[in-house]
Amino acid sequence: MQTTNVTGTRSAVNQMPMPTAINPTMQACIDACNACLQACEECYSACLSEPDVQARIHCIQVLRDCADICSMASQYMSRNSEFSQQFCNLCATICDACAAECAKFQDTHCQNCADICRTCADECRKMSTTKM
Amino acid sequence: MQTTNVTGTRSAVNQMPMPTAINPTMQACIDACNACLQACEECYSACLSEPDVQARIHCIQVLRDCADICSMASQYMSRNSEFSQQFCNLCATICDACAAECAKFQDTHCQNCADICRTCADECRKMSTTKM
Amino acid sequence: MQTTNVTGTRSAVNQMPMPTAINPTMQACIDACNACLQACEECYSACLSEPDVQARIHCIQVLRDCADICSMASQYMSRNSEFSQQFCNLCATICDACAAECAKFQDTHCQNCADICRTCADECRKMSTTKM
Amino acid sequence: MQTTNVTGTRSAVNQMPMPTAINPTMQACIDACNACLQACEECYSACLSEPDVQARIHCIQVLRDCADICSMASQYMSRNSEFSQQFCNLCATICDACAAECAKFQDTHCQNCADICRTCADECRKMSTTKM
């Protein structure tokens, strides 16, 4: 009986298990990447609307890079690509950079995004170092 | 207390609410797109491993198109793009085509993916026709 | 001797013809999309560095949507996806919007990007209406 | 007068120079990535149509990973992302793997794609090691 891969996102939409090569470490990382790409996109839009946007240019740039790589990491893992671990290793680096950048700003969206980026970096590191 | 946009994926990773322009219709659609892109990627890999891969070429092609557009739809909505509705309208078309193609195969991954694609098509249609 | 699909980008890297389903209309559109995504990414970075970034928020948002859809359109066409024409139809809409937005700014990168977006919109419309 | 970054793709569409941070090494790498993503997408479609598709599953999988990372590398460089070099380093690894896989098949599309992947791997390595 399979249940391990039926987590978060999927269970909201469809409860049926799917036979898959995706193990719990990978699924946790997919979920973290999906959460992170959304947080980065939202924080990106929010930063663009802030009156001090001028001070947030670097943050905006890193948020975009982070959203893009999380999105692609999610796809690589979902198809169980042989490069998932190397991809997640780079994703962890960019998530760390994004967390550090967002942490500089005191508004809720940046602080929240920093937390989600840190979680995603941790999951990506776990994913990239786990014996598969 | 959770806000309406703190659903599925995100709540698994981070329980903090995030101030956002994302309403429940959009969040449901983002979650459906994330679930659909994962289901399509998994079904794509599974189809490539089936002994009758020869018979599944069209299915494999549509699964890829569907995974890619769901992934991008999720990003467009997350940043509250002004083109989200037009994008989701096209996404619904491709999800419908993918559901129809997957439904032709009796294995669990295709039947399951067909269901998830149909759900995603419905959410994309709701998203694309909702007054924002 | 070069075949019709050996144009722009590819010939710079590799002169060998490749047997392909890609016809001249599609190749012209792929080249236009690649040029447009680069112009949009460059203009995006340049706008973020301008002292009046505050006035360019909408332009920055549309540039990103345009870069992303051009990138994906290029991939859909290159694999001769059955949805290429519908995808290019939406791409034309977003390129037009991006051209209109960039045209509002007098600096070289915006004026230049507006031109490239208009060309891309034209090629996408040709692509989306050509009998395949 | 054209600047060094007005090469391949762009000049086919628009001859105007664009003031940019993109240097010749980066532009050569962008062009190589664009050529590579197209070659991989075309070879992917061609492999799926071959009578011995069964023997090409791994090739098809690597072609897809290669197309996707080349596409994103092109975007990262075009916006002059601070992570371009790390991204291109991983891109070179995947291009090498794709070249090795395609080289196993004697048809023109695989042999040609192998060449283009090797060129792209070289450009990505140059890009990732150049002092910026």
Side-chain angles (χ1 to χ4, degrees):
Chain A
M1 198 192 77
Q2 292 202 17
T3 49
T4 50
N5 71 314
V6 181
T7 65
T9 305
R10 177 178 297 158
S11 63
V13 177
N14 193 296
Q15 294 291 342
M16 283 183 291
M18 178 179 276
T20 177
I22 295 184
N23 62 38
T25 302
M26 205 185 280
Q27 186 63 50
C29 193
I30 292 171
D31 291 341
C33 284
N34 287 344
C36 193
L37 86 85
Q38 181 171 349
C40 288
E41 293 280 4
E42 290 186 37
C43 189
Y44 167 91
S45 292
C47 281
L48 279 173
S49 307
E50 295 283 358
D52 65 339
V53 59
Q54 199 71 251
R56 294 168 187 262
I57 304 306
H58 187 227
C59 192
I60 288 166
Q61 290 169 325
V62 182
L63 281 163
R64 184 173 175 193
D65 286 341
C66 194
D68 282 358
I69 199 166
C70 285
S71 173
M72 191 164 280
S74 174
Q75 282 195 267
Y76 265 66
M77 284 184 280
S78 296
R79 64 180 176 254
N80 203 13
S81 160
E82 68 195 280
F83 304 105
S84 292
Q85 294 191 295
Q86 289 171 78
F87 206 88
C88 286
N89 186 46
L90 179 54
C91 194
T93 301
I94 298 181
C95 286
D96 277 336
C98 196
E101 194 56 36
C102 284
K104 294 179 188 167
F105 299 93
Q106 296 312 312
D107 48 80
T108 314
H109 59 84
C110 280
Q111 289 293 316
N112 200 9
C113 188
D115 283 344
I116 294 174
C117 287
R118 268 186 290 264
T119 302
C120 190
D122 288 344
E123 293 294 340
C124 284
R125 258 185 300 272
K126 243 180 272 175
M127 171 65 203
S128 69
T129 53
T130 298
K131 203 92 182 192
M132 290 285 163
Chain B
M1 201 193 76
Q2 293 200 13
T3 58
T4 48
N5 71 314
V6 181
T7 67
T9 305
R10 179 178 298 158
S11 63
V13 178
N14 193 297
Q15 294 292 340
M16 283 183 289
M18 179 179 275
T20 177
I22 295 185
N23 62 38
T25 302
M26 205 184 280
Q27 186 63 50
C29 193
I30 291 170
D31 291 341
C33 284
N34 287 344
C36 193
L37 86 86
Q38 181 173 348
C40 288
E41 293 281 3
E42 289 187 36
C43 189
Y44 167 91
S45 291
C47 282
L48 278 173
S49 307
E50 295 282 357
D52 65 338
V53 58
Q54 199 73 251
R56 294 168 186 263
I57 304 305
H58 188 226
C59 190
I60 288 166
Q61 291 169 326
V62 182
L63 280 163
R64 185 174 174 190
D65 286 341
C66 194
D68 281 358
I69 199 167
C70 285
S71 173
M72 192 165 279
S74 174
Q75 282 195 266
Y76 265 67
M77 284 184 282
S78 295
R79 65 179 176 254
N80 204 14
S81 160
E82 67 194 283
F83 304 105
S84 292
Q85 295 191 295
Q86 289 171 78
F87 206 88
C88 285
N89 187 46
L90 178 54
C91 194
T93 301
I94 298 180
C95 286
D96 277 336
C98 196
E101 195 55 36
C102 285
K104 293 179 188 167
F105 299 93
Q106 295 313 313
D107 48 80
T108 314
H109 59 82
C110 279
Q111 290 293 316
N112 200 9
C113 189
D115 283 345
I116 295 175
C117 287
R118 268 187 291 265
T119 302
C120 190
D122 288 344
E123 293 295 340
C124 283
R125 258 185 300 271
K126 243 181 269 175
M127 172 64 204
S128 70
T129 54
T130 298
K131 204 85 179 201
M132 290 287 162
Chain C
M1 203 193 76
Q2 293 200 11
T3 57
T4 48
N5 71 313
V6 181
T7 66
T9 306
R10 178 179 298 159
S11 63
V13 177
N14 194 296
Q15 295 290 341
M16 284 183 291
M18 179 179 275
T20 177
I22 295 185
N23 62 38
T25 302
M26 205 184 280
Q27 186 62 51
C29 193
I30 291 170
D31 291 341
C33 284
N34 287 344
C36 193
L37 86 86
Q38 182 172 347
C40 287
E41 293 281 4
E42 290 187 37
C43 190
Y44 167 91
S45 290
C47 281
L48 278 174
S49 306
E50 295 283 357
D52 65 339
V53 58
Q54 199 72 250
R56 294 168 187 262
I57 304 306
H58 187 226
C59 192
I60 288 166
Q61 291 169 325
V62 182
L63 281 163
R64 184 174 174 193
D65 286 341
C66 194
D68 281 358
I69 199 167
C70 285
S71 173
M72 192 165 279
S74 174
Q75 282 194 267
Y76 265 67
M77 285 184 281
S78 296
R79 63 180 177 252
N80 204 14
S81 159
E82 67 195 282
F83 304 105
S84 292
Q85 294 191 296
Q86 289 170 78
F87 207 89
C88 285
N89 186 47
L90 178 55
C91 193
T93 301
I94 298 180
C95 286
D96 277 336
C98 195
E101 194 56 34
C102 285
K104 293 178 188 168
F105 300 93
Q106 296 311 312
D107 49 79
T108 314
H109 60 82
C110 279
Q111 290 293 316
N112 201 8
C113 188
D115 283 346
I116 294 174
C117 287
R118 268 186 290 265
T119 302
C120 190
D122 288 344
E123 293 294 340
C124 284
R125 259 186 299 271
K126 242 181 271 176
M127 171 65 203
S128 69
T129 53
T130 297
K131 203 88 181 195
M132 290 288 162
Chain D
M1 203 194 77
Q2 293 200 13
T3 57
T4 48
N5 70 312
V6 180
T7 65
T9 305
R10 178 179 295 159
S11 63
V13 177
N14 194 296
Q15 294 291 341
M16 284 182 292
M18 177 178 277
T20 177
I22 294 185
N23 62 38
T25 302
M26 205 185 280
Q27 186 63 51
C29 193
I30 291 171
D31 291 342
C33 284
N34 288 344
C36 193
L37 86 86
Q38 181 171 348
C40 287
E41 293 280 3
E42 290 187 37
C43 189
Y44 167 91
S45 291
C47 282
L48 278 173
S49 306
E50 294 284 357
D52 64 339
V53 58
Q54 199 73 251
R56 294 167 186 262
I57 303 306
H58 187 226
C59 191
I60 288 165
Q61 290 169 327
V62 182
L63 281 163
R64 184 172 175 193
D65 286 341
C66 194
D68 282 358
I69 199 166
C70 285
S71 173
M72 192 163 280
S74 174
Q75 282 194 267
Y76 265 67
M77 284 184 281
S78 295
R79 64 180 176 254
N80 204 13
S81 160
E82 68 194 281
F83 304 105
S84 292
Q85 295 191 296
Q86 289 172 78
F87 206 89
C88 285
N89 186 47
L90 178 54
C91 194
T93 301
I94 298 181
C95 286
D96 277 336
C98 196
E101 194 56 37
C102 285
K104 294 179 188 166
F105 299 93
Q106 295 312 313
D107 48 80
T108 314
H109 59 83
C110 279
Q111 289 293 317
N112 201 8
C113 188
D115 283 345
I116 295 174
C117 287
R118 268 186 289 264
T119 303
C120 190
D122 288 344
E123 293 295 339
C124 284
R125 258 184 300 270
K126 243 181 271 175
M127 171 65 203
S128 69
T129 53
T130 297
K131 205 90 183 194
M132 290 285 163

